[in-house]
Amino acid sequence: MASSSSLTLSQAILSRSTTHASNPLPSFSLPTYSALKSSTNPTTPSLNLSARAAPRLTTRRRTIRASAVVETLDKTTDTALVDKSVNTIRFLAIDAVEKANSGHPGLPMGCAPMGHILYDEVMRYNPKNPYWFNRDRFVLSAGHGCMLQYALLHLAGYDSVKEEDLKNFRQWGSRTPGHPENFETPGCEVTTGPLGQGIANAVGLALAEKHLAARFNKPDSEIVDHYTYVILGDGCQMEGISNEVCSLAGHWGLGKLIAFYDDNHISIDGDTEIAFTENVDTRFEGLGWHVIWVKNGNTGYDEIRAAIKEAKSVKDKPTLIKVTTTIGYGSPNKANSYSVHGSALGAKEVDATRKNLGWPFEPFHVPEDVKKHWSRHVPDGAALEAEWNTKFAEYEKKYKEEAAEFKSISTGELPAGWEKALPTYTPESPADATRNLSQQCLNALAKVLPGFLGGSADLASSNMTLLKMYGDFQKATPEERNLRFGVREHGMGAICNGIALHSPGIIPYCATFFVFTDYMRAAMRISALCEAGVIYVMTHDSIGLGEDGPTHQPIEHLASFRAMPNILMLRPADGNETAGCYKVAVDNRKRPSVLALSRQKLPNLPGTSIEGVEKGGYAISDNSSGNKPDVILIGTGSELEIAAKAADELRKEGKAVRVVSFVSWELFEEQSDAYKESVLPAAVSARVSIEAGSTFGWAKIVGSGGKSIGIDKFGASAPAGKIYKEYGITAEAVIAAAKSLC
Amino acid sequence: MASSSSLTLSQAILSRSTTHASNPLPSFSLPTYSALKSSTNPTTPSLNLSARAAPRLTTRRRTIRASAVVETLDKTTDTALVDKSVNTIRFLAIDAVEKANSGHPGLPMGCAPMGHILYDEVMRYNPKNPYWFNRDRFVLSAGHGCMLQYALLHLAGYDSVKEEDLKNFRQWGSRTPGHPENFETPGCEVTTGPLGQGIANAVGLALAEKHLAARFNKPDSEIVDHYTYVILGDGCQMEGISNEVCSLAGHWGLGKLIAFYDDNHISIDGDTEIAFTENVDTRFEGLGWHVIWVKNGNTGYDEIRAAIKEAKSVKDKPTLIKVTTTIGYGSPNKANSYSVHGSALGAKEVDATRKNLGWPFEPFHVPEDVKKHWSRHVPDGAALEAEWNTKFAEYEKKYKEEAAEFKSISTGELPAGWEKALPTYTPESPADATRNLSQQCLNALAKVLPGFLGGSADLASSNMTLLKMYGDFQKATPEERNLRFGVREHGMGAICNGIALHSPGIIPYCATFFVFTDYMRAAMRISALCEAGVIYVMTHDSIGLGEDGPTHQPIEHLASFRAMPNILMLRPADGNETAGCYKVAVDNRKRPSVLALSRQKLPNLPGTSIEGVEKGGYAISDNSSGNKPDVILIGTGSELEIAAKAADELRKEGKAVRVVSFVSWELFEEQSDAYKESVLPAAVSARVSIEAGSTFGWAKIVGSGGKSIGIDKFGASAPAGKIYKEYGITAEAVIAAAKSLC
């Protein structure tokens, strides 16, 4: 990918993991521009929109204190300059969309004022290190409006969005894709676009902050202390996921989550009157939020400032600031209509908008005074980080143990030898359900991984996900690690994406029945896309769950995740394999893992191993020689036992049989050709697979000469053993298939 | 499946489609039991729980009027008898779960009072024809409590739930599966269990009623006039989908939707305090519902009755009746705890509960007086249907045209020759996006299919789904056919399931971007399972959508639906194929269809046809002879054009090339072996597939000797042509692959 900035993605990631931890910068002094804070300028009335006090630069050098640098809520930057900055944001968005002839100018034009106030006056960040731990997080949940964020990152001095990046908006290889992508654009915290995901990610980010603050802050040193801001629109509000996560945010009392609801009354199909007439304020009050209404989001800068101040004063509730705006503000003929939502304005309307807003500049121009005004964020941000680094260095001296844990979380460097905590088993170990074996792993990992936490969507006692040494993360006990998501699968997944992306060493897991991945698939796809290493603990993974019937029995789900890019679908057969799956899942910090686990007991099989799981597919038993078995039996999860039993029978009849455990297709695919040939030799076409799920996809593994035993219809309600028998998922069926082939 | 009832499933379906339409029953007289309505008994105070007036049977015969038979809201059946009936329901649930040693007794024990009042006093239905058109609909959204509904259907006299069915609860082949399934148990309207689906189905049922009433009712004849009742629990309330659909129900003003919220404060993980502390009442007020609180749902029969009466008096809003109950009411040691939610009580606690509730009877016993009391529903129900049939016969005389349309909707008999309305195309027809061609089909079908209606999740202008001859279905214009779902994909799918299951001739379609099937997959799976022939119009079906980038580009979605049972995944390549897909989709009334449609223009290819589509896969061009092409090129959708281009080039070089359009794997799979061999001869191993999506699954089609060109990673943000080229989805790639094989 083309990159001309001084901070490339890999460097940024490097800085993310090393800056404050192994190489803390010393505190140092920088110039500041005190006149931008009008408390030093008593002639500027704090709530007078017509105030036009000129900015007054000072050259006085002093040590910068974070709280003094950016907290200007009571003050106003010269309003004319704010207007100019806001219009700069608007036109950067207009121009980029126009050049690409693709994109969404409406939201940036309407939300530019709140965007300006957030990035210029409120948020604490370091443009030159987008991964500084204690930065305020910003999420554009209405991700289609990404030009708003790109314009802000550009003005703030982030190297990820240079002028040429704005000019390459939505083009091949650019760092300014059609929706915000954290893996492409440092400064974007998460990946949004699919509506409702961003507000859920923001809840996860705010949860992580509350949790880490409770665990690590000391009365004399608050090393975790940041806000999470989010902008969401009508579309996000309509999505069910947003109600799920906002209900949880209210329940958890996430007081440092401040959400701006861009209330512009327009969605793609037209006025929201046609489908969205609920009272959002009332709903959020019901959800336990503090609600503020900014009636003039287009020019009411002080209203916005006052709302943020009020939001910060409410410590025990998240705040929704409903900001009534005009979509496409400034466009004389398209503002307040759906036509400005998702298309370029067109040259004529761009001209008209330039005239209307008094904008004489060329496309992509940032006026000098605006540039100068924003330029302080680079030194200020460096100072903020430096100050924090000093604070952390002091913390580390006083609180060694906590600092070590904190560093693991903030850098992603896991404690050496953590994998030794994973349990191992022998064939003599008692049979057990892999969901129970999973719980043993979860509890073992929680002891050695400081950032390990998670929970279930109201199925903790079925998914077996409780961490026994910890209590519940709740409003009053945020230091605990068991998360209680309620029956909110989709929200759970997306919250975990936010948790995972807060800090590289936080490892969230979440759980429900495997079939209910259907509820959360959109969030899981984002995990895969945005490289969030969430661990999905999915139990009751087949017809083996029995009586709950077809609504609860996954059939096509293994196949559906095997087809999804950048996600590991893992189906362990016993204790060692379950431990192996957790080894893989924890190791894969940029790839989510889905563990499909049994409700029913399974024996510990001879030949299974953690190392085998890491290769994706491996032989657990073999009585052939010269890599020429008569037949290869391939099973996963609960059906590996059946394959093993069938092999025993076939061997009694003199056959040379290899049994292969095929835990993860993705991991196997990544092995060398030589290894793959050693497991599945091309010359052996007699192959039988067995899996209590769809046979879709298995033809690739068993080949044209092989047979697949599986289930290509819905399940049934009956005791598990009965369904297995009636559906032909049996050793007899494997034996018959094998005999027909060899 | 074992069936010992007098009304088998097939008979029931038959009666569904014929009873009132071709063979209306005459109006006739039946005995009634007027003393059960206490207005004839002035000594019974209507709101006095201690009233114990003995039932007084009369033998007076009179013509039954629907409104007189069942509307006993102001009156009380003898309370002792109600108590007994309620306890009968409780113990049928307890006993069935105990015998199965599996199931959920808690909800039926807590909700038995509201269940009794609904089925015994309020609802209008005919137990001997569960498909009578004008029946009130009941949905148990908290489907795990299905023993409540089975017990009620049993008492009411439905043939689908005999005593032996209760004894076979959750067993192989029984009609009483672990969650309610409409396709197994006549009397269950929909399939529930996955939480939140049922309330969404109920919104769909109520929408269908409001729509049909507006279209067909006349001032002198209201042939469409029923309520939709639903019971949902805390779990349903937490799911985002329920907020989506309840927002729509409020927006649409579905006044005949009455939802009982079983407010029992317990979910699987324990007290709802751990994850669900929002104020549900306030939220529903925000959503535009009328909200009533019944504080004593355990024994407050008159409170429940009064609430229903009040709900019915509110015509312009749906009503939520929050009924505070005790989960597992009656169990001395397990009531009000999660342990009674999802497990059998155990013999000891069953005994204790029998003692506690004063229940001396054997398991599965229905006391004679309870039986006698309920026995009136068979004759009353027959009378209700007969009365309606008479009314409809009169309607038919006066309103011939409307009656014909209505009959098509209520029976599912589509107008003869409807498929002739589908457009056809020639290679000379202008290139167009299949989403636009789809709109031509939708509009053609809406003219000839009376029950055809649908809409998009706020993407009507992108999905191209507007019916031009109709307006919007809105609160004040419910006769219209364009549904505006807002950005609520999940709710949309589940609402369409409810619409489809309201009447066999209603054919709902719904639309969004194909990638956002991830948001609604749980509802789509239920479509497939519950045999709801919903048509999913899914546009922007590949990287061809371009600049919106990977969050919006489906990759694994075709594979994920091909793996799902009982759903048709269709991907047309041009105009004729789009028409063919609609032919298939409308024909398949018990199987949903997913149409993957292009954003970009595609040429009309020589050789495509509606008939070809119906076979799933077929040759569109071939210069080979003797069924022995040198190579077979297989494409779907937008890539069929690429395959055709590659074939042209290869043929120029003297190759014998067959091009196969593989529109639907499922339909192809259903063809004869001879047909399949004629398209994909076993002897021809040189096969190349091309599809702008995951190659997962294609190995089965191209075989071990073939090659698949596709995309096994996430997409990118850039103009579509650029991505196609960079990702190697090109004719050149097909040609190279073909040459490597032949």
Side-chain angles (χ1 to χ4, degrees):
Chain A
M1 215 176 61
S3 170
S4 58
S5 79
S6 60
L7 181 70
T8 66
L9 186 59
S10 59
Q11 285 172 326
I13 287 165
L14 191 69
S15 73
R16 173 189 195 178
S17 59
T18 59
T19 306
H20 67 267
S22 54
N23 191 19
L25 297 173
S27 175
F28 62 101
S29 296
L30 277 173
T32 186
Y33 312 103
S34 63
L36 298 181
K37 296 169 280 301
S38 65
S39 67
T40 64
N41 182 1
T43 62
T44 306
S46 67
L47 285 168
N48 186 343
L49 280 179
S50 64
R52 289 286 186 278
R56 180 165 57 90
L57 298 185
T58 71
T59 52
R60 180 168 57 91
R61 299 177 73 89
R62 59 174 179 85
T63 301
I64 290 169
R65 288 197 46 79
S67 58
V69 173
V70 207
E71 296 278 340
T72 61
L73 293 184
D74 280 333
K75 311 136 197 175
T76 48
T77 300
D78 170 64
T79 300
L81 190 58
V82 175
D83 282 341
K84 207 163 178 182
S85 171
V86 165
N87 281 335
T88 303
I89 296 162
R90 289 190 177 118
F91 280 97
L92 287 177
I94 290 169
D95 296 338
V97 172
E98 201 65 23
K99 183 158 191 297
N101 193 25
S102 172
H104 300 75
L107 182 140
M109 294 165 76
C111 291
M114 61 183 112
H116 167 89
I117 289 170
L118 275 174
Y119 269 82
D120 188 55
E121 302 181 8
V122 176
M123 281 170 56
R124 299 186 299 178
Y125 55 88
N126 178 6
K128 298 303 178 198
N129 179 12
Y131 302 106
W132 168 45
F133 171 82
N134 203 38
R135 69 194 181 275
D136 286 334
R137 267 69 170 176
F138 173 77
V139 173
L140 186 65
S141 191
H144 51 273
C146 56
M147 266 312 305
L148 174 71
Q149 192 168 8
Y150 298 151
L152 292 165
L153 293 175
H154 177 62
L155 292 175
Y158 282 78
D159 293 319
S160 48
V161 188
K162 301 278 196 190
E163 186 179 330
E164 63 265 30
D165 298 304
L166 296 174
K167 289 180 175 169
N168 270 319
F169 179 53
R170 293 190 151 216
Q171 303 309 302
W172 178 259
S174 85
R175 291 187 301 186
T176 46
H179 291 84
E181 295 169 356
N182 57 305
F183 53 95
E184 292 286 2
T185 318
C188 291
E189 301 288 348
V190 297
T191 293
T192 56
L195 294 171
Q197 299 293 327
I199 176 69
N201 297 162
V203 171
L205 290 166
L207 179 153
E209 195 271 348
K210 189 176 171 99
H211 172 69
L212 297 177
R215 272 174 68 182
F216 294 106
N217 284 352
K218 302 290 178 183
D220 62 346
S221 185
E222 300 211 335
I223 55 169
V224 184
D225 177 24
H226 71 78
Y227 284 85
T228 302
Y229 301 96
V230 56
I231 294 179
L232 72 165
D234 290 305
C236 291
Q237 290 286 20
M238 288 188 253
E239 290 285 5
I241 186 177
S242 68
N243 194 72
E244 291 182 4
V245 301
C246 290
S247 179
L248 281 170
H251 171 76
W252 287 327
L254 301 179
K256 287 163 93 174
L257 173 64
I258 300 177
F260 295 80
Y261 163 33
D262 176 28
D263 170 47
N264 65 30
H265 285 283
I266 297 291
S267 69
I268 292 177
D269 276 354
D271 196 290
T272 52
E273 282 298 312
I274 68 172
F276 187 51
T277 51
E278 66 175 61
N279 186 326
V280 174
D281 310 34
T282 304
R283 176 160 62 87
F284 270 77
E285 277 157 16
L287 298 178
W289 284 54
H290 182 68
V291 180
I292 305 170
W293 183 16
V294 170
K295 290 178 187 163
N296 174 14
N298 295 326
T299 57
Y301 307 138
D302 281 338
E303 273 186 76
I304 296 171
R305 292 178 179 118
I308 297 171
K309 190 178 181 194
E310 180 179 326
K312 288 189 169 186
S313 75
V314 177
K315 310 280 188 195
D316 61 341
K317 290 178 173 186
T319 294
L320 184 79
I321 305 177
K322 182 171 91 165
V323 188
T324 298
T325 68
T326 303
I327 191 170
Y329 179 88
S331 161
N333 303 302
K334 295 194 169 181
N336 200 28
S337 82
Y338 68 89
S339 64
V340 77
H341 165 84
S343 312
L345 291 178
K348 203 176 145 193
E349 187 65 13
V350 171
D351 281 351
T353 307
R354 277 188 148 70
K355 282 199 188 84
N356 189 43
L357 290 177
W359 199 252
F361 307 108
E362 287 299 295
F364 297 103
H365 182 75
V366 179
E368 276 311 310
D369 46 354
V370 172
K371 207 177 273 179
K372 197 166 185 181
H373 175 72
W374 280 82
S375 69
R376 76 192 188 286
H377 290 291
V378 169
D380 284 7
L384 283 167
E385 179 168 351
E387 187 191 11
W388 184 88
N389 286 339
T390 305
K391 188 192 268 190
F392 183 74
E394 284 161 16
Y395 180 94
E396 198 172 12
K397 275 183 218 153
K398 282 197 213 167
Y399 310 106
K400 267 220 163 89
E401 210 171 303
E402 290 92 331
E405 280 209 351
F406 178 85
K407 278 164 78 170
S408 172
I409 287 173
S410 59
T411 64
E413 278 175 43
L414 305 184
W418 64 266
E419 68 279 3
K420 287 175 197 140
L422 287 169
T424 54
Y425 303 83
T426 69
E428 288 69 43
S429 306
D432 208 345
T434 50
R435 61 174 169 151
N436 292 331
L437 298 158
S438 161
Q439 189 168 37
Q440 294 171 13
C441 292
L442 290 171
N443 277 275
L445 290 172
K447 284 181 194 152
V448 294
L449 297 174
F452 202 73
L453 82 173
S456 162
D458 196 46
L459 287 169
S461 54
S462 291
N463 302 141
M464 308 306 293
T465 47
L466 280 185
L467 301 178
K468 293 171 184 174
M469 62 194 294
Y470 295 108
D472 284 0
F473 173 92
Q474 294 287 357
K475 192 172 183 171
T477 52
E479 70 282 7
E480 299 291 352
R481 298 207 213 167
N482 285 303
L483 305 179
R484 301 288 199 168
F485 291 103
V487 192
R488 303 180 183 96
E489 298 83 6
H490 197 183
M492 172 173 73
I495 287 172
C496 284
N497 286 338
I499 296 173
L501 294 175
H502 183 278
S503 295
I506 304 193
I507 305 178
Y509 66 90
C510 64
T512 183
F513 290 157
F514 189 34
V515 78
F516 297 143
T517 51
D518 284 348
Y519 275 71
M520 58 194 301
R521 196 170 164 89
M524 295 173 79
R525 186 175 207 259
I526 299 275
S527 301
L529 178 61
C530 78
E531 302 175 356
V534 177
I535 302 176
Y536 290 95
V537 180
M538 298 291 138
T539 72
H540 297 59
D541 72 345
S542 75
I543 52 168
L545 65 86
E547 291 90 343
D548 274 339
T551 52
H552 285 55
Q553 290 163 357
I555 297 292
E556 68 278 20
H557 300 73
L558 291 166
S560 79
F561 286 107
R562 286 173 185 150
M564 187 182 279
N566 200 46
I567 196 164
L568 292 171
M569 180 68 249
L570 302 151
R571 190 163 187 248
D574 66 0
N576 288 332
E577 289 204 346
T578 303
C581 290
Y582 277 102
K583 169 76 163 52
V584 166
V586 172
D587 270 339
N588 275 270
R589 292 294 79 231
K590 287 183 168 284
R591 182 156 63 161
S593 298
V594 186
L595 277 67
L597 302 166
S598 77
R599 177 198 187 204
Q600 71 274 30
K601 281 189 182 181
L602 304 174
N604 284 286
L605 298 169
T608 59
S609 70
I610 290 176
E611 298 71 31
V613 170
E614 291 183 284
K615 295 200 160 79
Y618 67 108
I620 63 160
S621 72
D622 195 355
N623 66 330
S624 72
S625 57
N627 203 20
K628 282 182 188 163
D630 297 326
V631 64
I632 303 175
L633 307 183
I634 310 167
T636 76
S638 42
E639 287 70 65
L640 187 61
E641 174 194 4
I642 297 175
K645 274 187 191 159
D648 287 346
E649 291 304 312
L650 289 164
R651 285 169 190 152
K652 280 182 201 160
E653 299 179 25
K655 301 285 187 192
V657 184
R658 175 178 298 169
V659 177
V660 169
S661 174
F662 220 64
V663 190
S664 165
W665 295 29
E666 300 84 5
L667 293 176
F668 186 75
E669 188 63 32
E670 290 165 16
Q671 304 307 311
S672 67
D673 287 345
Y675 179 78
K676 285 190 241 182
E677 172 69 15
S678 77
V679 177
L680 298 177
V684 181
S685 67
R687 302 177 187 181
V688 178
S689 71
I690 181 161
E691 185 171 72
S694 170
T695 60
F696 191 83
W698 274 102
K700 184 179 175 185
I701 310 301
V702 299
S704 302
K707 289 195 174 175
S708 293
I709 296 170
I711 304 172
D712 291 315
K713 58 183 178 180
F714 286 112
S717 174
K722 179 72 177 170
I723 314 177
Y724 264 84
K725 202 179 151 211
E726 294 285 346
Y727 276 53
I729 310 297
T730 60
E732 292 69 38
V734 176
I735 292 166
K739 284 185 178 172
S740 76
L741 298 177
C742 70
Chain B
M1 215 176 61
S3 170
S4 58
S5 78
S6 61
L7 182 70
T8 66
L9 186 60
S10 59
Q11 285 170 328
I13 287 164
L14 191 69
S15 73
R16 174 188 197 178
S17 60
T18 58
T19 306
H20 67 267
S22 53
N23 191 19
L25 295 175
S27 174
F28 62 102
S29 296
L30 277 174
T32 186
Y33 311 103
S34 64
L36 297 180
K37 297 169 283 296
S38 66
S39 68
T40 63
N41 181 359
T43 63
T44 307
S46 67
L47 285 168
N48 186 344
L49 281 179
S50 64
R52 288 287 186 278
R56 180 166 57 91
L57 298 184
T58 72
T59 53
R60 180 167 57 91
R61 298 178 73 92
R62 62 176 178 85
T63 302
I64 290 170
R65 288 197 46 79
S67 60
V69 172
V70 207
E71 297 276 344
T72 61
L73 293 184
D74 280 333
K75 310 136 198 176
T76 49
T77 301
D78 170 63
T79 301
L81 190 58
V82 175
D83 282 341
K84 208 165 176 181
S85 171
V86 166
N87 281 336
T88 303
I89 296 162
R90 289 190 176 118
F91 281 97
L92 288 177
I94 290 169
D95 295 338
V97 172
E98 201 64 23
K99 184 160 190 295
N101 193 25
S102 172
H104 302 74
L107 182 141
M109 293 166 75
C111 291
M114 62 182 111
H116 167 88
I117 289 170
L118 276 174
Y119 269 81
D120 189 55
E121 302 181 8
V122 175
M123 280 170 56
R124 299 187 297 179
Y125 56 86
N126 179 5
K128 298 305 176 195
N129 179 11
Y131 302 105
W132 169 46
F133 171 81
N134 203 38
R135 68 194 181 277
D136 286 335
R137 268 69 170 176
F138 173 77
V139 173
L140 185 66
S141 191
H144 52 273
C146 55
M147 266 311 306
L148 174 71
Q149 193 169 8
Y150 298 150
L152 292 165
L153 293 175
H154 177 61
L155 292 175
Y158 283 79
D159 293 320
S160 48
V161 188
K162 301 279 194 188
E163 187 179 329
E164 63 264 29
D165 298 305
L166 297 175
K167 290 178 173 168
N168 270 319
F169 179 53
R170 294 190 152 217
Q171 302 309 302
W172 179 259
S174 85
R175 291 187 300 185
T176 46
H179 291 83
E181 295 169 356
N182 57 305
F183 53 95
E184 292 287 4
T185 317
C188 292
E189 301 288 348
V190 296
T191 293
T192 56
L195 293 172
Q197 299 293 327
I199 176 69
N201 297 163
V203 170
L205 290 166
L207 179 154
E209 196 272 347
K210 189 176 171 99
H211 172 69
L212 296 177
R215 272 175 69 183
F216 294 106
N217 284 352
K218 303 289 177 183
D220 62 347
S221 186
E222 299 211 336
I223 55 170
V224 184
D225 177 23
H226 71 78
Y227 284 85
T228 302
Y229 300 97
V230 56
I231 295 179
L232 72 164
D234 290 305
C236 291
Q237 290 286 20
M238 287 188 254
E239 290 286 6
I241 185 177
S242 67
N243 194 72
E244 290 181 3
V245 300
C246 291
S247 179
L248 281 170
H251 171 75
W252 287 326
L254 300 179
K256 288 163 92 174
L257 173 63
I258 300 178
F260 295 79
Y261 163 34
D262 175 28
D263 170 47
N264 65 29
H265 285 284
I266 296 292
S267 69
I268 292 177
D269 277 354
D271 195 291
T272 52
E273 282 297 312
I274 67 172
F276 187 51
T277 50
E278 66 175 60
N279 186 327
V280 174
D281 310 32
T282 304
R283 176 160 63 87
F284 270 78
E285 277 156 18
L287 298 179
W289 285 53
H290 183 67
V291 180
I292 305 170
W293 183 17
V294 170
K295 290 179 186 162
N296 173 14
N298 296 325
T299 57
Y301 307 138
D302 282 338
E303 273 185 77
I304 296 171
R305 292 178 179 119
I308 296 171
K309 190 177 179 194
E310 180 180 327
K312 287 189 169 186
S313 75
V314 177
K315 310 280 190 197
D316 61 340
K317 288 179 174 185
T319 295
L320 183 79
I321 305 177
K322 181 171 90 166
V323 189
T324 298
T325 68
T326 304
I327 191 169
Y329 179 86
S331 161
N333 304 301
K334 294 193 169 179
N336 200 28
S337 82
Y338 68 89
S339 64
V340 79
H341 165 84
S343 312
L345 292 177
K348 204 175 144 191
E349 187 66 11
V350 172
D351 281 350
T353 308
R354 277 188 148 69
K355 281 201 189 81
N356 189 43
L357 291 177
W359 199 252
F361 308 107
E362 289 298 295
F364 298 102
H365 181 75
V366 179
E368 276 311 309
D369 47 353
V370 172
K371 209 178 272 181
K372 197 167 184 180
H373 175 72
W374 279 83
S375 68
R376 76 191 188 287
H377 290 291
V378 169
D380 284 7
L384 284 168
E385 179 167 352
E387 187 191 11
W388 184 87
N389 287 339
T390 306
K391 186 191 268 187
F392 183 74
E394 285 162 15
Y395 180 96
E396 198 171 12
K397 276 183 217 150
K398 282 198 212 166
Y399 309 107
K400 268 222 165 85
E401 209 171 303
E402 290 92 331
E405 282 209 351
F406 178 84
K407 278 164 79 170
S408 171
I409 288 172
S410 60
T411 65
E413 278 175 42
L414 304 184
W418 63 266
E419 68 278 4
K420 287 174 198 141
L422 287 169
T424 53
Y425 303 84
T426 69
E428 287 70 42
S429 307
D432 208 345
T434 50
R435 62 174 169 150
N436 292 331
L437 298 159
S438 162
Q439 188 168 36
Q440 294 172 12
C441 293
L442 290 170
N443 278 275
L445 291 173
K447 283 182 194 149
V448 293
L449 297 175
F452 202 74
L453 81 173
S456 162
D458 195 47
L459 288 169
S461 54
S462 291
N463 303 141
M464 307 305 293
T465 47
L466 279 185
L467 302 178
K468 294 172 184 173
M469 61 195 291
Y470 294 109
D472 285 359
F473 173 92
Q474 293 287 358
K475 191 172 184 173
T477 53
E479 70 281 8
E480 300 290 353
R481 299 208 213 166
N482 284 304
L483 305 178
R484 301 288 198 167
F485 291 102
V487 193
R488 303 179 183 96
E489 299 83 5
H490 196 182
M492 172 173 73
I495 286 173
C496 284
N497 286 337
I499 296 173
L501 294 176
H502 183 279
S503 295
I506 305 192
I507 306 177
Y509 66 88
C510 64
T512 184
F513 290 158
F514 190 34
V515 78
F516 297 142
T517 52
D518 284 347
Y519 274 70
M520 57 194 303
R521 195 169 165 89
M524 296 174 79
R525 187 176 206 258
I526 298 275
S527 301
L529 178 62
C530 79
E531 302 176 354
V534 177
I535 302 176
Y536 290 94
V537 181
M538 298 291 137
T539 71
H540 296 59
D541 72 345
S542 74
I543 52 168
L545 66 86
E547 290 90 342
D548 273 339
T551 53
H552 285 55
Q553 291 163 355
I555 297 294
E556 69 278 20
H557 299 75
L558 291 166
S560 80
F561 286 106
R562 287 173 185 150
M564 187 183 279
N566 200 47
I567 197 164
L568 292 171
M569 180 67 248
L570 301 150
R571 189 162 187 250
D574 66 1
N576 288 333
E577 289 205 346
T578 303
C581 289
Y582 276 102
K583 169 77 163 52
V584 166
V586 172
D587 271 338
N588 275 270
R589 292 294 78 234
K590 288 183 167 287
R591 183 156 62 161
S593 297
V594 185
L595 277 67
L597 302 167
S598 77
R599 177 197 187 203
Q600 71 274 30
K601 281 189 182 181
L602 304 174
N604 283 287
L605 297 169
T608 58
S609 70
I610 290 176
E611 298 70 32
V613 170
E614 290 182 286
K615 295 200 161 77
Y618 66 109
I620 62 161
S621 72
D622 195 355
N623 65 330
S624 73
S625 57
N627 203 19
K628 281 182 189 162
D630 297 327
V631 64
I632 303 175
L633 308 182
I634 309 167
T636 77
S638 43
E639 287 70 63
L640 187 61
E641 174 193 4
I642 297 175
K645 274 188 192 157
D648 287 346
E649 292 304 313
L650 289 165
R651 285 170 190 149
K652 280 183 201 159
E653 298 179 26
K655 300 286 186 191
V657 184
R658 176 177 298 168
V659 177
V660 169
S661 174
F662 220 64
V663 189
S664 164
W665 295 30
E666 300 85 4
L667 293 175
F668 186 75
E669 188 63 32
E670 290 165 15
Q671 304 306 312
S672 68
D673 286 345
Y675 179 78
K676 286 190 242 182
E677 173 68 16
S678 78
V679 178
L680 298 178
V684 181
S685 66
R687 303 177 186 180
V688 178
S689 70
I690 180 161
E691 185 173 73
S694 170
T695 61
F696 190 82
W698 274 103
K700 184 180 176 184
I701 310 301
V702 300
S704 302
K707 288 195 174 177
S708 293
I709 296 170
I711 304 171
D712 292 314
K713 58 182 177 180
F714 286 112
S717 174
K722 179 72 176 169
I723 313 176
Y724 265 85
K725 201 177 153 214
E726 294 286 344
Y727 276 52
I729 310 297
T730 60
E732 292 70 37
V734 176
I735 292 165
K739 285 186 177 171
S740 76
L741 298 176
C742 70

